[in-house]
Amino acid sequence: MTSGRLGSDTTNLDPWHDSYAARTAGLSASEVRALFAVASRPEVASLAGGMPFVSALPPELVSGAIDRVMREQGPVALQYGSGQGVPKLREQILDVMALEGIRANADDVVVTTGSQHALELIAKLFLDPGDVVLAEGPSYVTALVVFKSFQAAIDHVPMDEHGLIPSALREHIARLRAAGRRMKFLYTVPTFNNPAGLTLSAQRRVEVLEIARENGILVIEDNPYGLLYFEDQPPQAMRSLDSDGVIYLGTFSKTLAPGFRVGWVLAPTAIKDKLVLANEAAVLSPSNFSQLVISEYLASADWRGQIDTFRGLYRERRDAMLSALEEYLPGCEWTVPAGGFYVWLTLPEGLDSRAMLPRAIEQLVAYTPGTAFYSDGDGAANMRLSFCYPTPEFIREGVRRLSIVVNAELALRDAHANLA
């Protein structure tokens, strides 16, 4: 007699397979996550993961903040806190957002366990099965995982060198509306986009917001990289132009350190109230300890100067990658990011980045296939290259190793063409 837990699918090794909710079908390991085990090996030149170079953060800045918090506020730091977040930190977050033109009230800020958690809360509040999320093509991989886990469909709107194309957005909305589909929001990383490295122009930010208002579509502006510009400051945040139709996501993961797991949401008041309830339902409260340490860091350290240090470091690494691509992969095309962590590379015709990956690992180089950043299988001709973590020398070596793989694939492609 077999156990009832096995259900009808006796070939599945998970005895609880038939008990899971239907929405878990949208949960799958992203290609980025699957790469980490390989990419973390020291001999691999990893151009895959978007890990900040936290070694550039002077340890005394953080250790001093931790010591002061534990000495002066230890019992509070180790206790439960508010579901909305520490009030002083929410006030300080206003100063951070002001650098991108945002004027707001601390009462409309909700602290979250990283901005990834904010995406989860927003999806939980807004998405029903079958709803459509509009998103750039390509788009941040783990956002796609979150939206799919709530059984939403993702409709990718194309970009060009100036970011999301407004005319394409209008066309996609019209097509979806004609098909009777319900669109809940537009998800966008408009500044130094992950993965493409592109930035939505100031004029297009206005156009996109107008289109969203006309069609009653909320805009989710995810902005992890906006302060990490290399030359000119990027256009001001979309939230600075529209306080009612934009939910803004921020994080300290890229400008301080991801280990604290502190992000935030700035939302219209009614949405904010629901976010607080959802936050409390999920985690009771974000970590008091992490929040108080970051608050102390912002109060006592030259955090703006530290962001300048990160900018210089990432600019040097961006330049090392662009120089290496020019030398070793002149037959490819790539974006030239003005900030952030990523270059988006387009392979010569006929090459498939996902199929190439095992051979790249054999050459001890890792990247993220472009297919990870689409929900519809697109992106095979692309790959995301991260320049944030490796040294300039290792970036150069990684691109050299990658060129060996690409050139071998080109030779194989041409040989097959000649046989045909």
Side-chain angles (χ1 to χ4, degrees):
M1 183 175 178
T2 60
S3 169
R5 293 180 302 184
L6 290 174
S8 59
D9 186 4
T10 56
T11 63
N12 194 293
L13 297 180
D14 182 356
W16 300 102
H17 177 265
D18 290 343
S19 297
Y20 292 126
R23 62 180 172 274
T24 61
L27 288 173
S28 60
S30 74
E31 294 179 58
V32 175
R33 179 174 175 267
L35 278 169
F36 268 111
V38 172
S40 61
R41 288 160 41 194
E43 70 273 20
V44 174
S46 177
L47 309 176
M51 296 182 295
F53 191 71
V54 294
S55 296
L57 183 68
E60 64 272 12
L61 291 183
V62 176
S63 61
I66 291 173
D67 289 345
R68 287 188 294 275
V69 165
M70 291 307 298
R71 187 171 60 249
E72 299 170 10
Q73 304 180 75
V76 177
L78 299 178
Q79 188 54 271
Y80 291 117
S82 161
Q84 188 168 356
V86 170
K88 182 179 178 181
L89 178 59
R90 289 190 279 116
E91 291 283 353
Q92 292 166 310
I93 285 170
L94 299 183
D95 295 332
V96 177
M97 294 190 295
L99 297 178
E100 297 186 277
I102 296 174
R103 301 290 180 267
N105 190 308
D107 286 342
D108 291 329
V109 174
V110 180
V111 179
T112 56
T113 308
S115 59
Q116 184 67 42
H117 179 219
L119 277 175
E120 175 86 7
L121 297 179
I122 290 166
K124 183 183 294 184
L125 288 181
F126 284 98
L127 294 179
D128 290 314
D131 284 345
V132 177
V133 173
L134 295 156
E136 292 143 335
S139 190
Y140 171 47
V141 55
T142 315
L144 303 182
V145 172
V146 169
F147 302 149
K148 289 167 68 176
S149 75
F150 283 90
Q151 298 170 280
I154 295 100
D155 189 78
H156 289 290
V157 183
M159 294 189 286
D160 61 18
E161 66 272 22
H162 303 295
L164 187 76
I165 302 171
S167 60
L169 178 61
R170 286 190 185 278
E171 291 169 5
H172 280 241
I173 291 172
R175 173 176 50 78
L176 289 163
R177 183 153 289 153
R181 305 297 300 275
R182 184 167 58 174
M183 295 160 279
K184 285 294 179 68
F185 52 77
L186 166 67
Y187 171 74
T188 176
V189 185
T191 307
F192 316 134
N193 169 274
N194 178 6
L198 299 168
T199 296
L200 186 66
S201 68
Q203 179 181 344
R204 286 193 179 182
R205 290 176 190 231
V206 174
E207 290 185 66
V208 168
L209 289 172
E210 287 177 352
I211 294 168
R213 277 195 298 268
E214 291 168 4
N215 290 277
I217 295 172
L218 191 62
V219 174
I220 313 299
E221 179 182 16
D222 196 356
N223 191 34
Y225 311 100
L227 294 178
L228 296 176
Y229 52 88
F230 302 150
E231 288 92 18
D232 296 330
Q233 192 167 349
Q236 294 189 333
M238 297 175 77
R239 173 56 175 73
S240 71
L241 304 172
D242 187 342
S243 59
D244 296 323
V246 177
I247 297 178
Y248 176 95
L249 310 186
T251 181
F252 290 105
S253 292
K254 308 303 188 294
T255 56
L256 180 54
F260 287 110
R261 306 309 304 131
V262 174
W264 70 89
V265 186
L266 174 64
T269 301
I271 296 175
K272 178 268 299 183
D273 291 341
K274 290 183 172 58
L275 282 169
V276 173
L277 295 174
N279 208 14
E280 291 172 343
V283 298
L284 290 182
S285 66
S287 165
N288 257 13
F289 176 78
S290 290
Q291 291 181 79
L292 290 173
V293 171
I294 291 179
S295 178
E296 178 62 28
Y297 168 81
L298 293 173
S300 60
D302 180 13
W303 59 271
R304 292 175 180 84
Q306 183 57 44
I307 292 174
D308 280 336
T309 297
F310 283 130
R311 286 183 190 129
L313 182 144
Y314 295 136
R315 180 173 58 244
E316 179 187 20
R317 293 172 184 218
R318 187 271 318 255
D319 292 346
M321 176 167 284
L322 296 179
S323 174
L325 289 171
E326 290 280 1
E327 179 174 352
Y328 292 113
L329 288 168
C332 297
E333 297 178 356
W334 52 84
T335 58
V336 179
F341 284 4
Y342 308 110
V343 166
W344 184 247
L345 183 136
T346 301
L347 294 164
E349 186 176 355
L351 270 58
D352 184 324
S353 63
R354 189 172 185 176
M356 282 169 46
L357 186 57
R359 292 181 280 281
I361 298 300
E362 290 176 2
Q363 289 293 331
L364 300 180
V365 61
Y367 57 82
T368 310
T371 50
F373 306 99
Y374 288 90
S375 65
D376 56 8
D378 204 354
N382 305 103
M383 61 177 67
R384 189 190 73 176
L385 302 179
S386 302
F387 52 79
C388 46
Y389 191 77
T391 63
E393 295 75 22
F394 215 29
I395 288 171
R396 182 175 179 82
E397 175 61 16
V399 174
R400 186 193 68 81
R401 295 176 188 178
L402 180 60
S403 71
I404 295 172
V405 180
V406 171
N407 290 332
E409 291 293 307
L410 285 172
L412 189 62
R413 181 201 68 179
D414 293 344
H416 285 161
N418 290 335
L419 287 174

